Every structure is written in structure tokens, then in C-alpha cells.
Amino acid sequence: LFAVNIRGLRPSQNTTTPKPTETKPQPITMMTYISHDRGVSLTYASNLQIVESTTSSTMFYDESAPDTAVLLACQREKPNISSQSERLESMTIHYASGSATISGTLYRTTAQDNGAAIHNLIFKNPANNLYILVAGFGKTFESVISSLKVL
């Protein structure tokens, strides 16, 4: 049997209470993506991940925010977008050199199953005769298409 009298002991004055560590989110910066195969460049937020599935398509997305996905694809034939698009808009895409512009069509539609706004920008790159499709929704899509340049 063993006993200790601890009545006379006091905690040391040098004892520190652990403070919770504060984790600050990394600042989001803009990154440049260049695809020489497709003949385009764009800027995207650094919180987006890039998945290159083939040489003809790339997905930009944020795992924590599924409504941020944007698809960039190219193909020889013009993509078939539903004629039920709610709004068609003409859009100007600039060359990276600033020397000229080309026109594209922005299809703004709403998904029938859940009402989500889905947007598709289609234009033909005259340098390689490929149709470029940029599809997505929300602020991420708007940011990507506003930065899009033809090489």
C-alpha cells in the first residue's frame, strides 16, 4: 500500500494551456491552363482540380463544391446541343495575341430533372478546325469563359 499527500502541491506558474491551432485557408489564386492541342488558354481558380481524361477533354472541379465543375472538350464535329435551350447568346472570344476575335454561341439551358442551370459555349477554332465546347454552370463557368483565349 502506497499513499502520497498532495495537499501542499500547487501547479507551476509556467504551465501553459494549449490553444487550438487556427487553420487558415490557403488563398485562392488564378492559374493559367494552356492546351496547344485544342488551341485555347484560360484561367481558373487554384482550388480547382484538373482531370485530363484524354487529349480532347479536361475537367476542372472542386471536390468540396460539386457545382463548380467545368468541362473543356474539342472535337471535329459540332456538338449537338438541345434545341430546347432557353437562351442563345452570341459571345466573342479573343485571340491570346489580341489581334482578332471569333464568335461563339452560348447556350443557356435548365435541366428538366432538377432545374439546375447548365451552360454550353461552342465555337470553332479556325487554327485547327476543331469545335471547342466549354460546359458548366455557376460562377466558375462564367469566370472560365470570360478568360478563354484562342491561341
Side-chain angles (χ1 to χ4, degrees), residues 73-133:
C74 70
Q75 59 190 52
R76 293 263 173 232
E77 299 82 32
K78 185 175 182 179
N80 186 14
I81 302 296
S82 169
S83 60
Q84 297 178 352
S85 294
E86 293 175 0
R87 225 169 61 208
L88 297 176
E89 300 173 22
S90 181
M91 185 168 172
T92 301
I93 300 102
H94 296 270
Y95 277 81
S97 65
S99 62
T101 61
I102 59 173
S103 293
T105 303
L106 182 57
Y107 299 80
R108 295 193 184 269
T109 60
T110 303
Q112 292 182 357
D113 58 344
N114 63 7
I118 303 169
H119 309 303
N120 298 283
L121 171 64
I122 299 173
F123 64 94
K124 189 171 187 177
N125 186 337
N128 57 18
N129 288 321
L130 292 174
Y131 283 95
I132 305 298
L133 166 69

